[in-house]
Amino acid sequence: MADSFRRYFFVSQSSFYTEFILGCLQIKLGLICSIGIWILSEAKLQAAQAHQNWKLSSELTEQVTTVNNPESVVQYSTRISHKLEMQRCKGAGEQGSRGEFNVPCSFPSAPLPLCSSAQGFERCGEKSGSRPLPYRLPILMAAPENFNPDLRLPPVLPEPPQNSSPPKTSTESGKPDAVLESSPPKTSTEPRTPDAVLESIDTDYHYESDNFGQTNFFLEPTVKFRLSNGNKIFFRTGFNYFGQRGVESITNFPLQIGWQGKIGQVTLQTAAGVDMFNRLPTAINLNAKVEAPISSPQVSTSGQLLSAVVLSGNLEQGPYKSNVRTLENQITAWRFGPDLFWQIDRNTSLFSSLRLGNYNDGNSDVQSFSRLERKFGQFSLAANLFTWSFDRDLEHTSGYFSPPDFLVYNGEVAWEGDIASFLRCRLAANLGRQRLKGEFDNANTYQTRCTVKLSPNIEADLGYSFSNVRNQETGGSSYGSDSFTGQLRVKF
């Protein structure tokens, strides 16, 4: 019995030792296999990530090459809007937010070929004397990707390898993983683009007087910044003076900030600010504009515009800066309406504008202006038609010219050309008729303007205009006004 128990005990003990030893071996073997599998998996994961990073770098670099290639036609179409705005100044003129009628402006000669620039494509030799009306922000010209956040370029990445094979893994290169992981990432040596860059400072000057003792003076500098995404912001201030015979004068200090951008082919611009006066309450002003091409512009091989149709919508609100009496009565107005520009062929264009106005004294008006122009080298012929009608004539109570029925039509002959390498001038004469309250009279305007290029980055405009187109009720007396305009442009 004891022998059998002893044999059983030793057999059981040997079986226990055997199982214990086998279990330890299984644990060690499993641990070794797990470590091996983990090492192999880590190596494969690093190789896959390296290959994926290389592939992503290739795709993004290809995307940079593809996106950073804007269409010249689209860029040129945005240049049309500048010409569209200038058409509002020509010919008979218009009653703008200041209350001015027949504001003399400058305009370019025949379309010029395109040259590439940092902002896109500009006309070679274009004279910057082309200016929009005061209190209107100029139109932006730039590539579409500068304004649409969805089209912004991705960050610049290192160039992928010239061959199409993925980068070598740690096993292929013979370097241990620890060495690859410990290598510091490469940093770009390119300087960081500033958030905003000073682009230009434009100072506008306008002095107008008539034979009835009314004087208006405007001096307004505008500082322009270009943002890193291509948009622009503007800061405008200045000093304005309004004088009238027998009435205490008024000085005005405007302050306005504006923004311009582009989404696709649609150009957006908006501005808002305040008008401070020496003896009147502060008033708010704002304006907005949306502009889009209706048809794709056609451009010749030399860069000359052949055909295009551009439509825009405008909205303005602010003090009606017509004269001292209008400001004293604190007259403000909302004005809105569309503009249409049609480049019929390379030498013929049509511009048409419609404005509807609502005034805080309960009055309203409808204003239209159309101009058909034909160029013959340095010469041009144009026909202008201007209509203006108010719901009520409130000139004696509110102070502003508010005719129930006013019509002006005239023909224009103009010449523009270079007198010297640094001097370019324009001469124009408008001859026509005007009708006020059923009575016809002559409507003539004579304009001259010269642009002096002081340096590659500094230009100055100086213009003079005389007109007998009415800007107030004069009874049986004749009306005449003189205007001096100028602008100093400094580019950075």
Side-chain angles (χ1 to χ4, degrees):
M1 182 75 180
D3 294 335
S4 63
F5 175 75
R6 189 179 294 111
R7 285 193 302 269
Y8 173 77
F9 175 77
F10 284 114
V11 171
S12 300
Q13 189 175 12
S14 62
S15 300
F16 171 75
Y17 288 141
T18 303
E19 292 176 356
F20 177 76
I21 293 172
L22 292 177
C24 292
L25 293 176
Q26 290 177 356
I27 293 174
K28 292 181 179 180
L29 183 60
L31 182 60
I32 293 173
C33 293
S34 299
I35 294 174
I37 293 174
W38 178 78
I39 292 175
L40 292 176
S41 300
E42 185 70 16
K44 291 181 178 180
L45 179 60
Q46 291 181 358
Q49 288 179 346
H51 178 72
Q52 186 67 20
N53 292 337
W54 173 84
K55 184 178 180 181
L56 179 60
S57 174
S58 272
E59 293 175 352
L60 288 180
T61 306
E62 182 179 358
Q63 184 180 358
V64 171
T65 306
T66 303
V67 176
N68 195 14
N69 189 17
E71 294 291 339
S72 59
V73 174
V74 174
Q75 290 174 327
Y76 188 83
S77 67
T78 60
R79 302 292 299 171
I80 302 171
S81 55
H82 198 184
K83 186 175 180 180
L84 185 151
E85 191 68 31
M86 291 184 294
Q87 296 286 348
R88 298 179 56 83
C89 308
K90 299 180 181 180
E94 71 162 310
Q95 186 81 10
S97 58
R98 289 179 173 176
E100 297 170 344
F101 181 81
N102 202 25
V103 179
C105 297
S106 56
F107 6 90
S109 59
L112 299 169
L114 294 177
C115 289
S116 59
S117 68
Q119 290 79 21
F121 283 75
E122 297 180 351
R123 295 189 187 119
C124 301
E126 182 178 14
K127 305 302 176 182
S128 54
S130 306
R131 286 288 300 162
L133 281 177
Y135 286 93
R136 298 181 188 277
L137 295 176
I139 307 301
L140 263 179
M141 311 306 156
E145 62 264 30
N146 292 334
F147 305 102
N148 188 349
D150 295 334
L151 295 178
R152 289 179 187 172
L153 300 178
V156 179
L157 297 175
E159 290 289 339
Q162 297 298 327
N163 53 4
S164 59
S165 60
K168 294 183 179 182
T169 62
S170 59
T171 305
E172 295 173 346
S173 61
K175 296 182 180 180
D177 297 342
V179 175
L180 295 177
E181 292 177 358
S182 62
S183 60
K186 295 182 180 179
T187 58
S188 176
T189 59
E190 296 182 1
R192 179 180 177 272
T193 303
D195 295 332
V197 178
L198 178 61
E199 187 175 71
S200 64
I201 298 178
D202 299 340
T203 303
D204 294 295
Y205 165 84
H206 181 85
Y207 176 84
E208 181 180 9
S209 61
D210 60 23
N211 57 339
F212 285 87
Q214 178 175 315
T215 301
N216 293 343
F217 171 77
F218 300 88
L219 181 64
E220 298 179 346
T222 301
V223 182
K224 306 177 184 180
F225 292 88
R226 174 176 289 275
L227 303 180
S228 58
N229 62 357
N231 295 345
K232 287 186 181 181
I233 56 175
F234 303 84
F235 297 95
R236 172 174 292 154
T237 184
F239 171 82
N240 302 329
Y241 171 85
F242 302 88
Q244 198 165 352
R245 187 180 302 165
V247 183
E248 184 181 357
S249 62
I250 294 177
T251 55
N252 167 229
F253 305 94
L255 181 62
Q256 191 178 59
I257 180 172
W259 172 89
Q260 291 181 347
K262 196 167 193 278
I263 300 177
Q265 295 188 16
V266 179
T267 302
L268 305 175
Q269 61 183 34
T270 181
V274 294
D275 280 288
M276 297 174 286
F277 302 90
N278 62 330
R279 59 185 184 90
L280 296 175
T282 300
I284 298 175
N285 63 76
L286 60 90
N287 61 69
K289 183 173 183 177
V290 180
E291 183 179 282
I294 303 302
S295 64
S296 299
Q298 303 296 323
V299 184
S300 66
T301 55
S302 62
Q304 191 175 37
L305 181 64
L306 301 179
S307 66
V309 180
V310 180
L311 181 66
S312 65
N314 306 269
L315 175 66
E316 300 173 356
Q317 194 280 333
Y320 194 40
K321 300 180 181 180
S322 176
N323 51 51
V324 175
R325 291 180 54 206
T326 302
L327 292 174
E328 282 185 331
N329 293 323
Q330 300 180 30
I331 302 298
T332 61
W334 284 91
R335 304 180 65 80
F336 55 93
D339 293 338
L340 176 66
F341 174 76
W342 179 20
Q343 186 73 34
I344 302 174
D345 58 41
R346 69 175 63 212
N347 294 318
T348 309
S349 62
L350 172 67
F351 175 79
S352 185
S353 173
L354 176 66
R355 288 294 182 273
L356 306 177
N358 287 308
Y359 299 77
N360 61 342
D361 60 357
N363 207 357
S364 61
D365 73 323
V366 179
Q367 181 186 111
S368 67
F369 173 69
S370 297
R371 174 183 176 86
L372 180 64
E373 182 180 11
R374 176 75 177 181
K375 296 182 180 297
F376 304 90
Q378 294 183 334
F379 293 89
S380 64
L381 297 176
N384 304 292
L385 176 63
F386 178 81
T387 64
W388 198 14
S389 63
F390 278 81
D391 184 43
R392 293 179 295 166
D393 188 354
L394 301 180
E395 184 172 4
H396 296 289
T397 58
S398 296
Y400 59 88
F401 185 48
S402 51
D405 182 17
F406 188 45
L407 170 68
V408 180
Y409 60 89
N410 59 30
E412 177 186 294
V413 179
W415 171 88
E416 183 174 7
D418 292 328
I419 297 179
S421 59
F422 61 92
L423 180 63
R424 184 179 182 85
C425 292
R426 183 182 191 274
L427 303 175
N430 294 27
L431 304 178
R433 303 278 287 175
Q434 59 183 333
R435 185 189 67 189
L436 178 62
K437 296 182 178 180
E439 298 183 1
F440 281 88
D441 193 8
N442 292 329
N444 304 326
T445 301
Y446 307 95
Q447 299 175 352
T448 180
R449 185 215 70 230
C450 288
T451 300
V452 182
K453 195 172 186 63
L454 303 176
S455 73
N457 296 327
I458 301 177
E459 288 183 343
D461 290 342
L462 183 62
Y464 170 77
S465 173
F466 172 81
S467 175
N468 67 347
V469 178
R470 297 181 185 272
N471 198 18
Q472 58 179 290
E473 177 62 49
T474 62
S477 303
S478 60
Y479 177 82
S481 66
D482 296 274
S483 298
F484 293 90
T485 59
Q487 185 186 66
L488 177 64
R489 294 179 296 278
V490 181
K491 297 181 181 180
F492 297 92

